[in-house]
Amino acid sequence: MEIILLERVEKLGAIGDVVTVKDGFARNFLLPNKKALRANEANRKVFEANRERIVADNASRRGVAETEAKTIDGTSVTLIRQASNTGQLYGSVAVRDLVEMLEADGHKIPKSAIVLDKPIKAIGVYDVKVALHPEVSVTVKVNVARSPEEAEMQAKGVDVMAAMFEKDEAGFVEAYDPNAEPGATAEVQAEEAPAAAEEPSEG
């Protein structure tokens, strides 16, 4: 379907561009969200007649978004969640959770502004894009941890999961014998070896 864009759409074009998109994308997203018009003769005339107002409206919305962006860009929010020993969350962090956290921080952001390709399912620090306007987007840091202490470590750049595994491995100091059978320790093998040598040979 051919459409006229009423605002900049990433990977498609800018205001006034006539582009061809899949029918479903136009019907389900662009047209109902007033991001585009069908590119027929009547709509072209309407668009040209209103182009200045559409461009001016867009510029004023962009100005508001740019002001807001300065207060949000680089913001860091922390979510304390239960997770397994491997760092997998019980449940996941979705767009709604992020909207609530930012709101608690004093930033009112619509759900549609948060660009989360897939829900967050493990602890760690994530960069999440917030598109306040088609031409204005910022990045928010989302620190997902199991405790405030863990969140603090992650904020300093510590990989909590890696640090935890290192700690586990440091506690494991059993002697390793490359010739040992799987599961046997070096001591067991040392005791068994002479006994085997003393058995009388048949014949």
Side-chain angles (χ1 to χ4, degrees), residues 41-152:
E41 208 43 54
N43 281 344
R44 283 173 205 262
K45 283 179 181 157
V46 167
F47 176 78
E48 285 309 327
N50 293 295
R51 179 188 277 268
E52 279 182 27
R53 184 180 59 76
I54 292 167
V55 170
D57 280 356
N58 179 65
S60 78
R61 284 203 315 274
R62 187 177 62 217
V64 170
E66 280 168 350
T67 307
E68 209 173 324
K70 287 177 187 148
T71 68
I72 298 172
D73 196 17
T75 295
S76 186
V77 292
T78 301
L79 282 91
I80 303 302
R81 285 291 163 96
Q82 289 187 315
S84 69
N85 289 342
T86 56
Q88 292 299 307
L89 299 180
Y90 299 129
S92 60
V93 175
V95 168
R96 191 183 67 244
D97 303 308
L98 301 181
V99 168
E100 285 169 7
M101 288 302 295
L102 286 163
E103 208 161 283
D105 224 19
H107 308 293
K108 204 154 175 53
I109 290 171
K111 267 189 190 171
S112 57
I114 292 182
V115 184
L116 195 63
D117 300 328
K118 51 184 187 293
I120 295 170
K121 295 189 171 179
I123 64 170
V125 179
Y126 299 85
D127 283 339
V128 175
K129 183 176 165 185
V130 180
L132 299 166
H133 178 272
E135 295 162 46
V136 182
S137 59
V138 293
T139 303
V140 169
K141 277 205 182 311
V142 179
N143 188 342
V144 184
R146 289 173 295 189
S147 66
E149 296 76 26
E150 210 170 71
E152 210 170 295

Side-chain angles (χ1 to χ4, degrees), residues 174-190 192:
E174 188 175 58
Y176 173 68
D177 178 356
N179 303 317
E181 282 183 28
T185 63
E187 295 81 27
V188 172
Q189 290 242 321
E192 282 175 358

